[in-house]
Amino acid sequence: AQKVTQAQTEISVVEKEDVTLDCVYETRDTTYYLFWYKQPPSGELVFLIRRNSFDEQNEISGRYSWNFQKSTSSFNFTITASQVVDSAVYFCALSEHQGAQKLVFGQGTRLTINP
Amino acid sequence: EAQVTQNPRYLITVTGKKLTVTCSQNMNHEYMSWYRQDPGLGLRQIYYSMNVEVTDKGDVPEGYKVSRKEKRNFPLILESPSPNQTSLYFCASSLLVWASGRTGELFFGEGSRLTVL
């Protein structure tokens, strides 16, 4: 069965520090998809990135970067030069079957950026 | 504007009083799903629907019902709510993978915070 583990329940850093959110997943499928979602204090879920299992290239989007490593079943998320607006709960999620659409979420990491 | 709309956004009710949380999407998505979010547990799937009149259980379906009579609507029904159903509920929709050619990015509603006393 698929499983996503975000071992860091809460992280607190000072603004401008770099911070990495860890995500470890379990799946038996060779084809799967990984996601990160952001949930700001307002409560909505904001899609950040989707990565398929065949694409191990790391991705960078502004201050955000993602490190996908199949060898360690990890899909970590780094925020460079963090800002107060980055404060949110971040969820990593896994979708296993191409036709199933189901997302299995990790427990979430609450990130607090202090001024 | 493409969106998933849930109502009500906030609700306080009492044990046993039937309630319905509505969900509507305007993107012509086949797939719709309900999740509940609880502290320390992330989001867990309650029910999902692959198309009109096609629904199936997710990981935590007990105490919930759904229906999919129209493509755009997927209401969540709590026939006899109990305090352990106090939670934040999200409706989501997406295109089916085989229709879109890639795994469907889920579009989420804004959430419905339900308190059962």
Side-chain angles (χ1 to χ4, degrees):
Chain A
Q2 59 202 96
K3 183 180 178 182
V4 176
T5 301
Q6 295 178 253
Q8 304 152 307
T9 305
E10 294 191 29
I11 299 175
S12 181
V13 300
V14 177
E15 199 172 19
K16 298 184 183 177
E17 286 186 16
D18 298 347
V19 58
T20 296
L21 308 182
D22 297 333
C23 173
V24 174
Y25 62 92
E26 296 176 26
T27 177
R28 294 179 183 171
D29 275 17
T30 56
T31 301
Y32 53 90
Y33 303 83
L34 295 161
F35 301 77
W36 276 94
Y37 282 84
K38 175 182 179 179
Q39 186 177 45
S42 50
E44 74 273 21
L45 287 162
V46 179
F47 168 81
L48 295 178
I49 189 172
R50 171 186 52 241
R51 170 67 75 222
N52 74 54
S53 53
F54 297 117
D55 183 1
E56 287 195 71
Q57 279 191 338
N58 291 331
E59 180 152 343
I60 298 174
S61 176
R63 297 182 297 105
Y64 295 172
S65 62
W66 290 269
N67 182 7
F68 176 32
Q69 292 198 333
K70 288 178 76 171
S71 60
T72 56
S73 297
S74 65
F75 186 44
N76 296 336
F77 172 33
T78 297
I79 302 175
T80 303
S82 60
Q83 300 176 1
V84 172
V85 293
D86 296 326
S87 296
V89 180
Y90 290 87
F91 291 99
C92 180
L94 166 71
S95 177
E96 218 171 34
H97 305 291
Q98 190 174 14
Q101 318 272 149
K102 175 182 176 179
L103 279 186
V104 172
F105 285 81
Q107 304 91 321
T109 297
R110 180 177 299 278
L111 176 63
T112 302
I113 310 297
N114 299 299
Chain B
E1 180 188 354
Q3 58 186 4
V4 178
T5 304
Q6 298 177 223
N7 280 296
R9 296 286 314 282
Y10 302 91
L11 179 63
I12 300 174
T13 189
V14 295
T15 299
K17 186 176 181 181
K18 180 180 178 179
L19 68 92
T20 299
V21 186
T22 64
C23 174
S24 180
Q25 49 92 6
N26 63 0
M27 294 168 280
N28 203 35
H29 286 167
E30 297 89 358
Y31 180 87
M32 297 186 75
S33 180
W34 277 102
Y35 284 83
R36 61 177 287 175
Q37 181 182 353
D38 302 291
L41 297 176
L43 283 82
R44 295 176 293 168
Q45 190 181 52
I46 304 170
Y47 268 96
Y48 65 94
S49 168
M50 302 290 267
N51 215 325
V52 175
E53 303 292 0
V54 180
T55 63
D56 208 346
K57 296 177 181 179
D59 296 320
V60 288
E62 296 78 19
Y64 303 96
K65 285 177 58 177
V66 293
S67 68
R68 188 90 181 274
K69 294 183 170 53
E70 303 168 285
K71 195 172 186 179
R72 64 184 293 129
N73 297 323
F74 190 45
L76 179 69
I77 303 158
L78 286 73
E79 293 270 1
S80 183
S82 62
N84 65 12
Q85 293 178 297
T86 293
S87 187
L88 178 59
Y89 292 87
F90 285 98
C91 180
S93 73
S94 75
L95 292 170
L96 283 176
V97 170
W98 49 81
S100 65
R102 62 182 201 181
T103 194
E105 170 196 332
L106 279 181
F107 291 81
F108 284 89
E110 293 181 305
S112 296
R113 187 168 293 281
L114 170 65
T115 301
V116 183
L117 301 175

